[in-house]
Amino acid sequence: MMNSGVSGNSMSSSSAQGNNSSNSAQSPGLKTYFKTPEGRYKLQYEKTHPAGLLHYAHGKTVTQVTLVHLKDKPTQSQPQSSSTFGVSSGVRSAAARLLGGNGSKTLSFVGGNGGSKSISGIGGRVGSFGVSSSSNFAGNSNFDGKGTYLVFNVGDAIFVSDLNSRDKDPIKSIHFSNSNPVCHAFDPDAKDGHDMLIGLNSGDVYSVSLRQQLQDIGKKLIGAQHYNKDGVVNNSRCTSIAWVPNSDGAFVVAHADGNFYVYDKSKDGSADPSFPVIKDQTQFSVSHARYSKNPVARWHICQGSINSIAISNDGAYIATVGRDGYLRVFDYKNEQLICGGKSYYGALLCCAWSMDGKYILTGGEDDLVQVWSMEERKVVAWGEGHNSWVSGVAFDSYWTAPNSDGTDENVVYRFGSVGQDTQLLLWDLEMDEIVVPMRRPPGGSPTFSTGSQSSHWDNACPVGTLQPAPSMRDIPKISPLVSHRVHTEPLSGLTFTHESVLTACREGHVKIWMRPGFGENQSNNSDSLLSTSLKEKSSISGKALSSSYKQ
């Protein structure tokens, strides 16, 4: 992570520079655009944490970023949409240093998501500073929070930035004194206001209302529900956290010891640590709580860490990737292993579902992007292009092929990946165009025969089996459409919006790359466009997708 110990005067200078074009902040050798067949993606602006002293443990966390859209303030509920990207959360903890401490300073909050509001009585721990931001929430209990935000962690703090403002610095910080936040998620359908989850390095988990945090000028969580307090159920590090769609408040927390726990926010927050001892660490098992308390279930997945979890948009399936190099896909309701398999080499670090639930992306230490088919229950393509570990993958659900006629025939999927090689890669997956390797003759000749397809493609894999690492010769290879070095530091994740592609490095810096056809003149419309596109996404995700799978 970044160690940015500077004086207060430097902070003022840095804040002022935040209003300038992002081009001036670009490091030598980094271009501010990249080209695709549909046009040029241009670096519009950047977000980062405020300069200041960071805790020594900052380097132990990795930035994760969550994109959140808050709608108009409802009477009793606060629905919102979100998307999370990153390997683990290192992008949310440096912001606490911006706000807080002794002294008094007036902050002017101006811009994209709201009007203007001057707030007094906020001190600067590292010196005097000026912040121009895009929201008028601070200290205003009537602020409805409407807008689009980036939530990220760095060191021991969580930061919130206004996506529609050109200012680099965040508008809100939340400080954690005893542990670092490492993962977070948002519920698009929260009904009681608690829509934000935060998992800590200590194993502790909090649920809060983001809107309520934005209304408060303090640097501590307010109105939080505390789960697994002091690690009473599991004291290993939280590695990934996610809400379960269509579940009315259920969420899943993965840990570094190979377990994930299911919570129900409608139940008592006090922990039930009475789960039985795991007899065989190598076997998948599920145990339910004896009492009506949280967590309601423990899923033992594997030996070693679960590095990431991803839940299909209909809430039917949970995908996990881990230190042991395996992808595992589970039927959430029936608590059953559906399929999975091993990486070509090393651990898997990230995974993501396509919007229609038909494909899963994984990335890891073998430098490959694997494409898994839920229908075939096997790897159907390998993406070669990264020069180091792949740390983030995501499908671009807003992209449509230029020649698409809207039918399901010959569907083209656009997805992206980022890695520790500092590169963003974009890929097009068109299954009809993939060349399937042919079966080799018994003699093992290195040349492909002209006979039938490789045995890897004979049948769909049986339900409930984990496949060994396939042979490199059996898997079709795809090449990236675009390969662009976007940061100077290793990358931790990416996400797609209607207007842009967002990339984050593990040091806590986020870049917003505008799609072709979107520029400064359209930035004011981003809130309404994102709202519309999120509605479109939710309508797709609400459809049942399990019928297309071969069981």
Side-chain angles (χ1 to χ4, degrees):
M1 294 300 181
M2 172 177 291
N3 185 357
S4 47
V6 296
S7 67
N9 291 335
S10 297
M11 288 190 67
S12 297
S13 174
S14 174
S15 177
Q17 291 174 357
N19 295 321
N20 296 331
S21 171
S22 59
N23 295 1
S24 61
Q26 281 292 99
S27 300
L30 291 183
K31 293 184 178 180
T32 59
Y33 67 90
F34 57 88
K35 295 180 180 179
T36 65
E38 61 265 23
R40 176 181 294 193
Y41 285 69
K42 182 179 179 182
L43 178 62
Q44 186 78 347
Y45 38 81
E46 302 177 38
K47 302 293 182 182
T48 188
H49 52 82
L53 296 176
L54 292 177
H55 194 269
Y56 71 93
H58 173 53
K60 298 180 181 180
T61 59
V62 177
T63 290
Q64 184 189 75
V65 180
T66 298
L67 177 68
V68 180
H69 179 70
L70 287 177
K71 303 175 185 178
D72 288 319
K73 185 177 181 180
T75 303
Q76 294 181 344
S77 61
Q78 297 158 345
Q80 65 191 43
S81 298
S82 69
S83 175
T84 303
F85 61 100
V87 177
S88 73
S89 85
V91 190
R92 330 168 183 103
S93 27
R97 315 304 168 109
L98 173 62
L99 304 179
N102 298 322
S104 177
K105 187 66 183 178
T106 298
L107 305 188
S108 176
F109 292 88
V110 183
N113 285 329
S116 174
K117 183 75 176 180
S118 295
I119 309 298
S120 299
I122 301 178
R125 176 181 299 178
V126 293
S128 61
F129 57 93
V131 178
S132 177
S133 182
S134 57
S135 211
N136 63 341
F137 62 84
N140 182 0
S141 61
N142 293 321
F143 171 65
D144 66 5
K146 180 181 179 181
T148 306
Y149 302 95
L150 295 178
V151 179
F152 58 97
N153 60 287
V154 179
D156 63 352
I158 292 260
F159 297 96
V160 182
S161 287
D162 179 1
L163 178 64
N164 296 326
S165 168
R166 296 184 63 89
D167 295 336
K168 285 187 176 182
D169 289 329
I171 55 178
K172 174 70 178 180
S173 64
I174 302 170
H175 178 70
F176 295 82
S177 58
N178 297 323
S179 183
N180 289 355
V182 291
C183 51
H184 44 81
F186 283 81
D187 182 5
D189 301 306
K191 295 181 179 180
D192 67 349
H194 274 222
D195 44 27
M196 175 180 179
L197 298 173
I198 304 171
L200 305 186
N201 196 60
S202 60
D204 293 60
V205 177
Y206 292 94
S207 71
V208 298
S209 163
L210 176 63
R211 200 183 305 265
Q212 189 176 6
Q213 310 310 309
L214 293 178
Q215 292 171 347
D216 183 70
I217 64 173
K219 58 180 181 178
K220 299 291 185 182
L221 287 178
I222 59 172
Q225 179 70 273
H226 196 171
Y227 303 93
N228 192 30
K229 187 175 182 180
D230 300 323
V232 64
V233 175
N234 191 314
N235 60 6
S236 66
R237 175 174 53 92
C238 294
T239 57
S240 190
I241 196 166
W243 293 99
V244 180
N246 306 321
S247 66
D248 197 21
F251 60 92
V252 176
V253 183
H255 288 265
D257 65 351
N259 293 302
F260 76 66
Y261 294 82
V262 181
Y263 291 80
D264 184 345
K265 71 176 184 179
S266 67
K267 294 185 181 296
D268 191 345
S270 60
D272 178 11
S274 58
F275 291 100
V277 175
I278 299 171
K279 296 180 180 180
D280 188 348
Q281 293 283 339
T282 65
Q283 296 298 314
F284 165 63
S285 63
V286 179
S287 300
H288 294 270
R290 300 176 184 176
Y291 311 102
S292 183
K293 294 183 179 180
N294 277 307
V296 298
R298 179 194 67 197
W299 293 45
H300 176 70
I301 305 302
C302 58
Q303 288 182 297
S305 176
I306 300 172
N307 289 332
S308 182
I309 57 176
I311 304 178
S312 62
N313 287 300
D314 60 356
Y317 296 94
I318 297 181
T320 70
V321 292
R323 175 68 252 177
D324 63 358
Y326 277 92
L327 163 73
R328 294 172 173 88
V329 181
F330 300 93
D331 183 318
Y332 173 68
K333 181 178 179 180
N334 296 317
E335 300 176 344
Q336 176 189 10
L337 175 66
I338 299 299
C339 63
K342 195 160 188 322
S343 65
Y344 182 71
Y345 171 82
L348 289 176
L349 303 174
C350 52
C351 57
W353 288 87
S354 62
M355 281 298 296
D356 58 11
K358 293 182 178 180
Y359 295 98
I360 305 171
L361 300 174
T362 65
E365 295 177 357
D366 56 10
D367 304 351
L368 299 171
V369 178
Q370 294 184 341
V371 182
W372 286 78
S373 167
M374 277 297 289
E375 183 177 7
E376 299 292 332
R377 294 189 287 277
K378 66 178 68 171
V379 178
V380 293
W382 270 344
E384 296 180 326
H386 282 286
N387 300 315
S388 187
W389 295 358
V390 179
S391 50
V393 290
F395 280 96
D396 184 354
S397 59
Y398 302 100
W399 180 84
T400 303
N403 299 324
S404 175
D405 57 4
T407 66
D408 292 336
E409 297 181 4
N410 201 27
V411 175
V412 181
Y413 295 84
R414 168 69 58 84
F415 63 89
S417 61
V418 294
Q420 296 192 13
D421 56 4
T422 71
Q423 293 193 102
L424 163 68
L425 273 58
L426 296 181
W427 316 73
D428 281 352
L429 174 69
E430 188 173 4
M431 291 305 300
D432 290 349
E433 298 297 324
I434 285 182
V435 178
V436 178
M438 308 307 290
R439 191 186 304 274
R440 291 169 178 258
S445 169
T447 60
F448 288 132
S449 73
T450 57
S452 60
Q453 294 179 351
S454 166
S455 58
H456 177 78
W457 299 87
D458 284 350
N459 298 292
C461 296
V463 172
T465 58
L466 294 177
Q467 300 298 307
S471 171
M472 183 69 79
R473 68 192 182 191
D474 288 335
I475 308 300
K477 312 300 188 301
I478 58 176
S479 299
L481 186 71
V482 172
S483 179
H484 182 64
R485 184 169 177 254
V486 292
H487 291 254
T488 58
E489 300 293 335
L491 300 177
S492 60
L494 80 160
T495 195
F496 294 94
T497 75
H498 183 274
E499 289 187 334
S500 62
V501 180
L502 281 64
T503 59
C505 76
R506 60 187 303 140
E507 300 296 325
H509 308 295
V510 183
K511 292 185 178 181
I512 293 90
W513 305 84
M514 301 303 291
R515 296 180 187 269
F518 291 92
E520 289 187 28
N521 58 330
Q522 289 153 312
S523 62
N524 291 333
N525 299 326
S526 63
D527 190 48
S528 59
L529 285 170
L530 182 60
S531 176
T532 302
S533 59
L534 287 170
K535 290 178 182 177
E536 294 171 352
K537 287 184 68 176
S538 63
S539 65
I540 298 174
S541 63
K543 299 178 181 178
L545 304 169
S546 59
S547 60
S548 63
Y549 305 149
K550 296 179 182 177
Q551 296 287 341

